[in-house]
Amino acid sequence: MKSINSPSDHDVIDIKQTLKARQLLECFDLNLIRLNDTGLREDEEEVDTLEMLSGCLEEAIENGVNPVDLQQRANQLAQYALRQGYDQHAVENLLTMRPNPNGKRLQND
C-alpha cells in the first residue's frame, strides 16, 4: 500500500536511464557528424560503425526515449547509409529497432 506522500511511478524520473540515454544520443550525434565531415577512420569498418549508431538509437529507446523523438536521427542515419551505397533493404534492417523490454543489453560475443 502506498503512503499518501509517496510519488506515483510516473512521477519518478530514472536519472540513471536519463543520463545513459543522453550519453547514447551524444555518441550518435558526434559519430554521425564525424562520418559526414571527415569520413571513416583508417582502422574503421563502415558496417560496424553504422551498426553501432543503430545500437545507440535502440539502446536510447530501452532507456526511455520515445521512438518518435529519434525520428530525425534515424532519418540522418538512413540518408548517410543510402549515400554510401547501401540498398533500401540494408537500410531498413539497420533501422529496425529491437529494444529489449527489460532494458538489459545482450552481449553479442
Side-chain angles (χ1 to χ4, degrees):
M1 180 173 195
K2 290 185 177 185
S3 70
I4 294 173
N5 293 329
S6 70
S8 64
D9 289 339
H10 68 274
D11 291 336
V12 177
I13 296 172
D14 187 334
I15 298 299
K16 185 177 177 183
Q17 275 191 325
T18 301
L19 290 174
K20 179 66 175 175
R22 209 175 278 163
Q23 289 173 334
L24 289 162
L25 296 180
E26 186 175 296
C27 175
F28 177 92
D29 292 342
L30 291 174
N31 278 286
L32 191 58
I33 288 168
R34 177 184 57 79
L35 286 176
N36 283 316
D37 289 351
T38 61
L40 294 167
R41 293 184 302 260
E42 237 178 80
D43 62 340
E44 187 175 20
E45 292 291 329
E46 186 171 62
V47 70
D48 293 340
T49 301
L50 294 178
E51 287 176 0
M52 180 272 298
L53 291 172
S54 176
C56 286
L57 297 179
E58 185 174 273
E59 198 170 344
I61 293 169
E62 292 173 1
N63 282 280
V65 176
N66 186 327
V68 172
D69 296 336
L70 299 174
Q71 188 64 47
Q72 182 179 359
R73 286 178 173 95
N75 286 341
Q76 291 169 341
L77 179 56
Q79 289 170 5
Y80 176 85
L82 290 168
R83 280 195 311 272
Q84 299 307 310
Y86 289 84
D87 64 22
Q88 182 177 345
H89 181 70
V91 173
E92 287 173 0
N93 283 338
L94 185 65
L95 295 177
T96 299
M97 301 290 115
R98 296 175 188 88
N100 191 336
N102 66 8
K104 302 290 184 200
R105 298 299 293 170
L106 301 175
Q107 296 301 319
N108 293 333
D109 299 321

